[in-house]
Amino acid sequence: MSNRQPEARSRGLWSDLVPVTTAAPREPVASRGNILGRIRFTDAPAEAALDDATPLLTTHMTNEHVPPVEEIWRTALPVRTGTAGDAVFAEDGEHLFYAVRLGPQPVYREPVRELYENALRFAWDHGYTDLVRMWNLIGGITSPNADGLEIYRDFCIGRAEAFSALADRFPQLSAATGIGTLSPGVDVAFLAAKPGRAVHLENPRQTPAYKYPSQYGPKSPSFARATFLKDTTAPESVTGTLFVSGTASILGDDTVHIDDVALQTEETLRNIGALAGGDNLRDHGLDGAGYDVKDLDQVKVYVRDAEDLLVVRSICESTLPADTDISYFNVAVCRPDLLVEIEGVCR
Ligand code: 3EB
């Protein structure tokens, strides 16, 4: 459990990854605050629901190889929660957490378009006009849908259609994760903020995902490589939180180090270092900010093959400080040749 978070934040958002136990988790002092939303990574999916009066998304992402964990997003501000159709949400006047589960579908395109349009309209209508972080947890991600199209590609079409329908309101894409789960269906959660604090970043080592060539699917994935959320809207402010998207062993648009999980893990960590480094932040107008890969915390590491868990873990543990909060998952990645994907948060 990381102790690196300051105790009080006036406008920030922070998260913890805590083990799921039958007893209520003991909360570290640094984690006091109000819960905005939770994502429970466990052994079966469930409808998004208000649980203990807070939004809870439950996704099937643990098996016998990894323990269940809960990601808890907190804020210092008072929170209002509610439901919107099948979705659950919480807002604190500065940030919105929204989560919804879409059950198994023969073809995902149309229901995903509808889910994303509803979600984006909800955020807009409540004044949370800047997307900050999206998670797309996709069952059977590299398996075919009822038409024979890979489910990730099918999903990407519906998501792209929603962003295109709402392009006047959401012209910018935020940090995201697109990753496999262990049950059919799609679990979506996102964080959004009031206008003026979010800056979206690309990676100098990677082609922007929205410009991927069509060999990876009829519609390119709709996400940025990272989003920096400034602590305040003051223009001179360069303090904030960097939300690092799911990052893989991709250079340009090519998967590199096919069949070599150790090299894929090291390349992924180099990609994160280049993305979060001071040069890249300066290139995106964030002068004075910048991180090292060692600053990555609340890390989620997705490993396709269970037999690779040990080697990935040993590389992550030797690269990141001992007090880093890291959780591992044994799930498929969105390209069959990607063996590992890593995401996290830098402050
Ligand atoms: C990649 O770089 C790896 O579709 O939302 C990473 C992060 C990936 C987000 C998404 C996909 C997504 O293309 C896959």
Side-chain angles (χ1 to χ4, degrees), residues 136 152 159 176-178 212 221 223 225 245-246 248 250 334 338 341:
N136 304 289
Y152 178 60
R159 176 175 60 173
T177 293
Y212 279 171
F223 70 98
R225 298 297 177 182
S245 292
I250 295 174
C334 67
L338 288 174
E341 184 171 308

Side-chain angles (χ1 to χ4, degrees), residues 14-265:
W14 67 98
S15 68
D16 287 309
L17 289 164
V18 302
V20 173
T21 54
T22 45
R26 249 181 74 110
E27 302 194 6
V29 172
S31 294
R32 283 189 197 129
N34 302 311
I35 293 179
L36 199 64
R38 290 178 290 151
I39 305 173
R40 184 176 294 166
F41 302 90
T42 186
D43 58 3
E47 297 303 309
L50 293 178
D51 174 86
D52 252 343
T54 64
L56 175 67
L57 183 70
T58 303
T59 189
H60 184 182
M61 285 181 64
T62 62
N63 58 14
E64 68 275 25
H65 302 291
V66 294
V69 67
E70 201 166 286
E71 177 174 354
I72 307 179
W73 285 94
R74 294 171 200 268
T75 167
L77 299 169
V79 170
R80 179 181 84 90
T81 64
T83 58
D86 295 336
V88 292
F89 71 91
E91 60 171 330
D92 69 359
E94 296 290 343
H95 314 98
L96 170 70
F97 176 88
Y98 179 105
V100 64
R101 169 168 174 78
L102 173 65
Q105 307 289 323
V107 176
Y108 282 91
R109 170 183 182 158
E110 187 53 27
V112 164
R113 184 194 58 72
E114 192 180 327
L115 179 156
Y116 254 93
E117 282 197 25
N118 288 339
L120 295 175
R121 285 214 174 83
F122 183 92
W124 182 267
D125 290 345
H126 290 75
Y128 299 95
T129 58
D130 286 5
L131 294 173
V132 173
R133 188 66 173 88
M134 309 178 279
W135 289 273
N136 304 289
L137 315 174
I138 303 169
I141 188 163
T142 54
S143 303
N145 71 8
D147 291 340
L149 180 67
E150 182 189 78
I151 287 176
Y152 178 60
R153 297 175 181 214
D154 179 12
F155 167 87
C156 282
I157 298 172
R159 176 175 60 173
E161 287 176 345
F163 275 106
S164 139
L166 289 153
D168 54 332
R169 280 163 272 186
F170 294 93
Q172 311 240 43
L173 301 167
S174 77
T177 293
I179 197 73
T181 72
L182 301 170
S183 285
V186 174
D187 302 302
V188 172
F190 70 87
L191 294 164
K194 290 286 171 76
R197 294 168 56 208
V199 177
H200 308 291
L201 284 80
E202 289 301 326
N203 190 322
R205 306 179 92 220
Q206 299 187 301
T207 305
Y210 59 85
K211 292 186 184 165
Y212 279 171
S214 59
Q215 72 185 90
Y216 302 108
K219 289 278 187 186
S220 309
S222 316
F223 70 98
R225 298 297 177 182
T227 296
F228 186 80
L229 185 66
K230 295 180 184 179
D231 284 342
T232 72
T233 52
E236 71 280 8
S237 167
V238 287
T239 62
T241 304
L242 184 70
F243 295 83
V244 174
S245 292
T247 304
S249 181
I250 295 174
L251 291 177
D253 61 66
D254 298 319
T255 300
V256 295
H257 315 302
I258 305 274
D259 292 334
D260 190 326
V261 71
L263 290 180
Q264 285 204 9
T265 307

